[in-house]
Amino acid sequence: MKLICLEEHVLDPTTAQASMPAALATAPYLPDWGKTVRDGNNPDRSRPQVIANTDSTRKGMDWEGERLADMDAAGITMQVLSLGGFPQYAPPADQPALSQAVNDRLAATVAAHPDRFAAFATLPWSRPDAAVKELERAVRELGLKGALLNGRPGDTFLDAPEYGNLLAVFNELQVPLYLHPGIPVPAVQAAYYSDFAPELAARLSMFAWGWHNEAGIHLLRLILSGALDRNPQLQIISGHWGEMLPFWLQRLDDSIPPAASGLARSITDTFKAQVYVSPSGMLTRPHFNFIYELLGAERILYSLDYPYQSLDGAHEFINALPVTDAEKAQIAHGNAERLLRL
């Protein structure tokens, strides 16, 4: 079975160096991950596992060599590459040039391995007007397949008025926006995830819960703002089985009907029409069963969250799904080929 994975990251040393001071000032707990616990020692190799941050950083910096070897070993046909880290924390004045350089390198990497890679652009998110220009360039000139955002674009979420033109360009170009987790609002992190041992607080704030709650709120705010009603061709990709939101849709509909939201559709109907969901390496059957019943196979993409997780069990999970072979093919590669026009 061909496997196309859509949440697979690269790292860029120049962007990382530019963004890290502000990221650390906002989230000083980031370095506490891995200080007392080293990931990657779980003996269960039936599914992807979090790997040590030193290993994931090394793999992320290697865009081709070790990555292609890992893909070959796991039987991964194609990765859709995207920039990891927190590029929106780079100085706003530097973000356009940084984004252009990364997107140029992404395009060159795809051109060197067109059967193995596609890519999502990174944008100068703190500069909405510049982000519009770079999205248009990345898609129209470089052939990138959309863009990925690692958390909030700045001090707000994308439903803020200044991002209206950018969302309209996604709609016009008919390319998806991948809403990836990112650093929680500092006041939320302090209130919800602190007062534990540093290692525990860091993990809870980041990839155990805080990042995902942040991404779910981001998507919910976009829906409630009417941004998807105004941009009916805009397709959002939400990883980690929808960042908690699908499991609460019925409650949201019951609590916020269109009479209260002012939306043209229910929250669930909007989600089903304009959101794709991907597992991001959370290859667990109960999650799949729920999402499949809610959305059907046609709204599920595949992803493993490389290099932050291992590639264990990628084929085994797809092969064992209790769906038809045609639906397995949709999830494994067909939906990605259609959405990204691969």
Side-chain angles (χ1 to χ4, degrees):
M1 178 80 72
K2 183 193 303 184
L3 292 184
I4 299 177
C5 300
L6 280 84
E7 191 180 317
E8 321 307 318
H9 305 295
V10 294
L11 297 173
D12 174 63
T14 304
T15 304
Q17 184 176 16
S19 59
M20 195 51 65
L24 287 173
T26 304
Y29 50 85
L30 289 174
D32 291 333
W33 167 39
K35 277 189 174 179
T36 60
V37 176
R38 179 176 175 83
D39 294 292
N41 299 315
N42 192 329
D44 179 7
R45 311 315 300 183
S46 65
R47 57 189 178 87
Q49 304 290 338
V50 175
I51 69 173
N53 52 6
T54 52
D55 293 335
S56 61
T57 297
R58 183 193 75 251
K59 290 174 179 286
M61 293 291 183
D62 185 349
W63 289 29
E64 299 176 64
E66 187 174 3
R67 177 180 303 267
L68 285 166
D70 287 347
M71 290 169 62
D72 289 344
I76 307 299
T77 310
M78 175 179 283
Q79 288 186 346
V80 182
L81 305 176
S82 56
L83 182 64
F86 312 104
Q88 69 270 41
Y89 283 88
D94 297 340
Q95 286 187 29
L98 289 169
S99 298
Q100 290 168 15
V102 169
N103 292 335
D104 287 345
R105 186 179 173 190
L106 285 168
T109 303
V110 171
H113 306 278
D115 296 330
R116 306 306 303 276
F117 296 132
F120 292 125
T122 187
L123 302 179
W125 295 101
S126 295
R127 304 270 302 276
D129 291 343
V132 166
K133 294 178 181 178
E134 183 57 18
L135 178 62
E136 291 176 328
R137 185 186 82 95
V139 172
R140 290 181 168 144
E141 298 180 21
L142 301 182
L144 304 190
K145 301 302 183 180
L148 180 140
L149 170 59
N150 297 280
R152 287 168 290 122
D155 293 331
T156 66
F157 293 91
L158 278 179
D159 59 276
E162 57 264 34
Y163 292 102
N165 288 340
L166 179 59
L167 295 177
V169 173
F170 276 97
N171 184 74
E172 176 189 348
L173 295 174
Q174 297 187 33
V175 293
L177 166 63
Y178 206 125
L179 281 185
H180 188 272
I183 293 172
V185 173
V188 172
Q189 189 278 333
Y192 289 4
Y193 312 129
S194 63
D195 299 326
F196 293 105
E199 179 87 40
L200 174 57
R203 290 169 182 262
L204 184 62
S205 302
M206 297 162 61
F207 52 89
W209 185 270
W211 283 357
H212 308 295
N213 183 64
E214 184 87 356
I217 290 291
H218 200 163
L219 176 52
L220 179 58
R221 288 186 63 95
L222 268 184
I223 294 173
L224 291 175
S225 73
L228 301 192
D229 280 354
R230 292 189 295 272
N231 298 285
Q233 301 304 315
L234 173 58
Q235 296 291 320
I236 304 294
I237 305 174
S238 182
H240 306 95
W241 296 119
E243 309 293 357
M244 307 182 187
L245 189 54
F247 307 96
W248 214 250
L249 287 173
Q250 186 62 64
R251 179 65 170 179
L252 286 164
D253 282 349
D254 292 344
S255 304
I256 310 176
S261 68
L263 300 175
R265 300 165 289 178
S266 71
I267 296 169
T268 297
D269 286 345
T270 304
F271 193 100
K272 287 182 175 180
Q274 291 183 252
V275 180
Y276 284 83
V277 169
S278 186
S280 309
M282 292 173 55
L283 304 187
T284 49
R285 182 69 68 80
H287 286 94
F288 171 82
N289 289 345
F290 183 92
I291 295 298
Y292 176 75
E293 183 175 351
L294 177 71
L295 300 178
E298 64 273 12
R299 283 268 154 187
I300 302 175
L301 302 167
Y302 207 50
S303 61
L304 297 172
D305 208 3
Y306 182 96
Y308 303 112
Q309 296 204 135
S310 68
L311 301 179
D312 296 300
H315 275 277
E316 290 81 356
F317 181 76
I318 287 281
N319 292 337
L321 290 177
V323 300
T324 67
D325 288 345
E327 289 174 315
K328 291 176 185 178
Q330 278 185 292
I331 295 165
H333 62 89
N335 293 333
E337 290 166 335
R338 184 185 72 253
L339 177 64
L340 304 184
R341 303 184 203 115
L342 295 174

